[in-house]
Every structure is written in structure tokens, then in C-alpha cells.
Amino acid sequence: MSGDRCPVGYPLPWASAPDIPEGWTTLREQPLLEISLPSGEPALLVTRYKDVRRLFADERLSRNTFGRASRVSASNDLFGDPRIDNDPPRYLTERAVVMRAFSARRIEALRTVVKEIVEQLLDEMERGPQPAELMEAFAYPLPILVICHMLGVPPRDRAKFRRLIDGFLSVSRLPEDEVEECRRQYWDYLTELIDAKRAEPGDDLISELIEISREDPSKLTGYQLQHWVKTLLIAGYVTTASQLGTSMAVLLHRPEVAAELKADLPLVPSAVEELLRYQIMGTSLGTLRYAVEDIELLDGTTVIPKGSTVLLSQESNMDADEFENPLHLDIRRTENHHLTFGAGIHFCAGAALARMELQEATEGLLRRFPGLRLAVPGEQLKRPEGGFLAGYTEIPVSW
């Protein structure tokens, strides 16, 4: 890579409306882009779909970045932890344990619970004033209630853990001392929760993971157990909430597309996949990787140098070599192998749960409120600043 060009600030700025950033349209003209992270530190962005998909499985890209790679945030280590091995073979052992919780059978059994929660939240919306604020009334509480049910978090603790997670995910929104305090409190809270489950197990995922760890600590030590619970609570709440909110904003910003889906609700699964491809949780930040060797890309001439910090671009979901007319939102798209959940051994453990929640939430909203619409022009929707995810702070809706 040439060092004579100015790195591009990343993530690329979003337009005011729920539309794809203009910079995404030309991003793949070069397979590797020099970028500057929010911390001000450098990284390389892999832009093309085929490169990105291949590199998800390339062990020359390590996810053990702590202390050797650039940082997303100057004031927050986010997911960096020197005591956690995020590479094979250790990572695969832990992942295999956690993946038991996300079997197709278990997710389908949970669907009834999700339907009930969706209906309860819709009842409350219907009784409340209009316009309603979709994020607070629906998009945030749904995944919080689901993941807390799944992991066995007491209802009284839900508001507390949401506050701590929001602080944990600050990139530049909060000062360093506040971020550190949220991280400390979150870890202490998980310690207390897991200790309580050890003393009094329940029919929940934390209790199941504790039993696995007790039977064979080589599969999951106590520290690793706590790390995975922390990760699952964060991923199960905030990413799904952001994706749900941004998906509905994108959809309602296009009334003709929303009307098409309302008239044909069996299209909801394909619409959810297309919105996952198109909106990507409102953000383009992702997991950093570190090149332990030089890595040649598929064009045969571009090389990721050893020692580089690397991001695998989710904007590769807009690659015209992989998706026909990729900048067009097509809720009937059938060939949709997007990379929003990653790929291979780094495919998101909770993808099936997120998909199911998004399907039930989207279908429920459109069925209950066929007149659902944005209460303000899409151009007026505000995105938060300084967080890991860049969805919307508020989405006022009427019906």
C-alpha cells in the first residue's frame, strides 16, 4: 500500500436520510483502503466481497489484537482482553460450547416467547400516545427482554445492565473514567449474577454454561464463561435493537416498499435478509484483526502487509460483482449471501436468534399497524455520535 495518500476517516459518514453513504458507491474501486479509525490510529479496509469472505477463514488474520493492533477508540478497549484467545483452536472449543444454546430446535422453541413479548409491546404502543418513539417503545425492549429471558437475567436488573452496556460501547461519547467505571460495574454485576446462578441454578443459558464449565473446565474456564456471558448479553441486546430500528426506518422511508411488504407479509423473511444486507445495523465499525503474515488478495497484486490492523468491510455487501443492482433495496431478492453476520468459523453465534426476532418484530409491527409510517421526514432522523453503533437516537412513528 502506498503511504503518500491521506487515510479516509472511518466509518464513512452517513447521509441524513436512511440511505447508503455516498462513499460506499466507489469504495470497491481499490481492494484495500487506508483508513483512520475513530481513535485516529491507522488500519486497512478490505473492500471486495470475495476477499472479505475468504479472509474470515484465514488464520493469518488474528483476532487477538490487544496490545499490538490499532484501537477503535482512544479511551476504550471495547472488546480487547489479553486473557481471551479469539483464534483457533481455543476459540473453536469455546464456540462449540456456546453454539449449543443456539440450536435450531432451541431457537424455534423460543419463537413462542418472542411472539408473546412482541404482542405485549405492541399492546403498550397501541394504548400509548402518537407519535410513538419506536426505539424506546419497541426496538430496545424486545431484544433486552428476549436475551434476559434466555440467559436468566432477573427483570429488576434489565435497566441497570442496559445502562452499563451503553457505557461499555462508548467510542468517544463518554470520557475515559466513565467508560472504565461502566466496564468495572458490568464485570462486577456479571460476577454476582453467575455466583447467584451457581448457588441456585435455573432453566437458562447461564446455568447451562456453568454446568458445562463445572464438568470440564478445559472447555470453558470460569473467566471464559464470564467473558461469553458478557459478549452474549451485549450482542443479544444492542446489535439486534439497532438493526430493528434502522431496518424499520429504511423501510418506512420508502412508503412504496413498505406498502408492498404490508400487502404480502410472507415476504418478511426475505425482506429481513435484504435489510440486513442493506443497512448493517446502522454502522460500519466491526471487529479488528491483525495480520501475522503478508496476505495477498485475490487480484494477485495487492498485499496486506504483516503487522497491519485490518477491518473486513461490511460495505462489501454492496459489491456489484456479488449482488445484482446492490444499491437497490429489493425485498424479493433471493440470492442474498450477505456478510452481515460474518462467515465460516466467525459466523455470528446468535445469527439465528437475531433473524427470528427481526422476523417476528417486523411482521408484528406491520400486521398490527398497517398504517405505520414515519412521523417526521427521514432526513430529520438523528444518528447518535460517539457510540459503537450508529443507528438512530429516535424514530417517531404514527399509524
Side-chain angles (χ1 to χ4, degrees):
M1 293 296 295
S2 170
D4 58 0
R5 63 169 67 96
C6 182
V8 174
Y10 193 85
L12 300 175
W14 286 84
S16 57
D19 293 320
I20 295 300
E22 185 176 343
W24 287 24
T25 60
T26 58
L27 194 60
R28 283 155 298 282
E29 290 178 357
Q30 50 185 312
L32 202 58
L33 183 67
E34 297 176 14
I35 59 173
S36 175
L37 297 168
S39 63
E41 298 176 18
L44 297 175
L45 182 73
V46 183
T47 66
R48 295 175 181 172
Y49 180 95
K50 287 184 171 59
D51 282 321
V52 169
R53 189 173 191 91
R54 182 176 66 91
L55 288 171
F56 269 115
D58 196 319
E59 294 188 14
R60 294 173 296 177
L61 272 187
S62 171
R63 291 179 63 204
N64 294 329
T65 59
F66 189 88
R68 60 178 180 174
S70 296
R71 295 168 55 173
V72 168
S73 167
S75 60
N76 188 350
D77 286 321
L78 289 166
F79 302 103
D81 188 336
R83 295 178 61 180
I84 295 297
D85 188 348
N86 291 303
D87 290 339
R90 179 66 230 175
Y91 166 78
L92 295 180
T93 300
E94 295 175 31
R95 176 184 166 84
V97 171
V98 174
M99 283 301 292
R100 296 183 194 178
F102 296 98
S103 67
R105 178 187 58 80
R106 174 169 271 178
I107 297 304
E108 278 308 305
L110 192 60
R111 189 180 289 269
T112 300
V113 173
V114 173
K115 285 179 180 287
E116 291 174 356
I117 295 172
V118 166
E119 291 304 312
Q120 291 168 8
L121 293 172
L122 294 176
D123 287 344
E124 293 173 13
M125 278 183 65
E126 195 166 29
R127 289 193 296 266
Q130 294 191 50
E133 204 290 281
L134 189 65
M135 294 304 298
E136 287 298 329
F138 191 76
Y140 283 134
L142 173 62
I144 287 176
L145 291 167
V146 172
I147 198 65
C148 286
H149 171 87
M150 191 173 185
L151 275 86
V153 175
R156 65 180 181 274
D157 292 345
R158 288 166 186 166
K160 177 181 179 179
F161 107 76
R162 176 181 169 185
R163 175 181 63 81
L164 296 179
I165 288 175
D166 288 347
F168 186 101
L169 293 176
S170 170
V171 172
S172 59
R173 181 171 55 85
L174 297 178
E176 187 171 356
D177 59 339
E178 288 189 35
V179 170
E180 185 56 35
E181 182 63 15
C182 285
R183 293 173 70 90
R184 184 191 65 77
Q185 289 186 30
Y186 186 36
W187 190 258
D188 289 348
Y189 168 73
L190 293 180
T191 301
E192 295 171 4
L193 177 62
I194 291 170
D195 286 347
K197 294 290 182 184
R198 282 197 174 99
E200 193 172 339
D203 183 20
D204 56 70
L205 178 55
I206 293 179
S207 298
E208 183 176 332
L209 292 176
I210 288 170
E211 181 61 18
I212 292 170
S213 178
R214 185 190 65 79
E215 291 177 351
D216 189 353
S218 68
K219 289 184 177 180
L220 203 65
T221 68
Y223 188 88
Q224 290 159 350
L225 184 156
Q226 192 155 331
H227 166 80
W228 275 100
V229 171
K230 175 192 74 176
T231 303
L232 291 171
L233 275 169
I234 291 173
Y237 149 49
V238 71
T239 54
T240 304
S242 184
Q243 179 63 37
L244 175 55
T246 53
S247 289
M248 293 310 300
V250 167
L251 189 64
L252 299 178
H253 183 60
R254 295 161 174 78
E256 71 287 353
V257 181
E260 180 183 2
L261 184 55
K262 291 171 189 175
D264 193 358
L265 288 178
L267 284 175
V268 163
S270 67
V272 164
E273 293 305 310
E274 178 68 345
L275 288 161
L276 279 162
R277 181 191 72 85
Y278 193 86
Q279 186 60 190
I280 318 172
M281 297 176 292
T283 185
S284 46
L285 277 173
T287 301
L288 296 179
R289 288 165 164 81
Y290 181 81
V292 297
E293 298 178 23
D294 288 352
I295 305 173
E296 185 178 281
L297 299 186
L298 292 173
D299 67 352
T301 60
T302 305
V303 174
I304 299 172
K306 177 182 177 179
S308 300
T309 299
V310 179
L311 261 174
L312 301 181
S313 161
Q314 291 184 325
E315 296 93 339
S316 60
N317 283 337
M318 300 295 161
D319 193 332
D321 289 339
E322 186 65 25
F323 301 99
E324 184 178 354
N325 197 6
L327 299 180
H328 173 62
L329 181 71
D330 181 5
I331 62 173
R332 297 178 183 272
R333 192 182 297 272
T334 54
E335 295 297 320
N336 197 347
H337 307 294
H338 62 75
L339 298 175
T340 300
F341 290 123
I345 63 170
H346 294 299
F347 186 77
C348 174
L353 176 62
R355 279 187 164 116
M356 185 264 285
E357 286 185 59
L358 291 167
Q359 290 169 7
E360 293 299 331
T362 303
E363 194 275 338
L365 278 165
L366 298 181
R367 172 182 42 78
R368 178 72 71 91
F369 305 125
L372 190 68
R373 61 192 182 277
L374 291 176
V376 299
E379 291 80 6
Q380 294 181 16
L381 296 176
K382 304 295 185 186
R383 295 184 183 272
E385 295 183 2
F388 187 74
L389 298 177
Y392 292 102
T393 53
E394 296 181 350
I395 304 175
V397 294
S398 299
W399 53 90

